[in-house]
Amino acid sequence: QVQLVESGGGLVQAGDSLRLSCAASARTFFYTMGWFRQAPGKEREFVVAISWSGERTDYADSVKGRFTISRDNGKNTVYLQMNSLKPEDTAVYYCATARWMGRREGEYDYWGQGTQVTVSS
């Protein structure tokens, strides 16, 4: 069982930056780590994923060039640096683990409880 705890969310203005963290309770060295988000009234959507080695990443088009995912396997932590934030980035952000790189929720086994990101215009 892997427990994931997200942190770093908050209220910012458009154009600002935030860095989210996701700390795992157990070694996630061989797991893909992903970030998803869910805006009010919308389905949860894929944001980005990173392979266990960190060599492969996959970004949703909506965040490409603005968000950067990274991981520190020694600390069992994955990070999401979010720059040039927009009001449409407002959502609850979730991290999750998967055995393979993927964009579908069903491919992810363990989920955190989420952290709220609110971007004001």
Side-chain angles (χ1 to χ4, degrees), residues 28-32 50-56 71 73 101:
T28 56
F29 185 76
F30 291 110
Y31 287 89
T32 286
I50 186 169
S51 64
W52 67 268
S53 66
E55 292 181 351
R56 291 178 58 200
R71 66 189 296 165
N73 288 334
M101 290 284 284

Side-chain angles (χ1 to χ4, degrees), residues 2-32:
V2 176
Q3 292 182 327
L4 304 173
V5 179
E6 303 95 337
S7 61
L11 172 62
V12 297
Q13 294 185 335
D16 286 350
S17 299
L18 276 177
R19 189 176 83 152
L20 305 183
S21 298
C22 173
S25 62
R27 290 179 63 84
T28 56
F29 185 76
F30 291 110
Y31 287 89
T32 286

Side-chain angles (χ1 to χ4, degrees), residues 49-116:
I50 186 169
S51 64
W52 67 268
S53 66
E55 292 181 351
R56 291 178 58 200
T57 56
D58 180 24
Y59 291 89
D61 288 344
S62 59
V63 306
K64 198 173 294 183
R66 299 187 298 122
F67 290 12
T68 303
I69 190 171
S70 61
R71 66 189 296 165
D72 184 337
N73 288 334
K75 296 182 178 180
N76 295 332
T77 301
V78 64
Y79 304 98
L80 182 62
Q81 178 66 44
M82 305 186 295
N83 298 330
S84 302
L85 283 162
K86 304 175 181 180
E88 51 263 44
D89 295 318
T90 295
V92 177
Y93 283 72
Y94 300 88
C95 67
T97 65
R99 293 184 180 274
W100 317 108
M101 290 284 284
R103 294 188 169 203
R104 295 178 298 175
E105 288 187 48
E107 297 176 292
Y108 288 77
D109 302 310
Y110 299 103
W111 293 79
Q113 293 188 331
T115 185
Q116 176 71 47

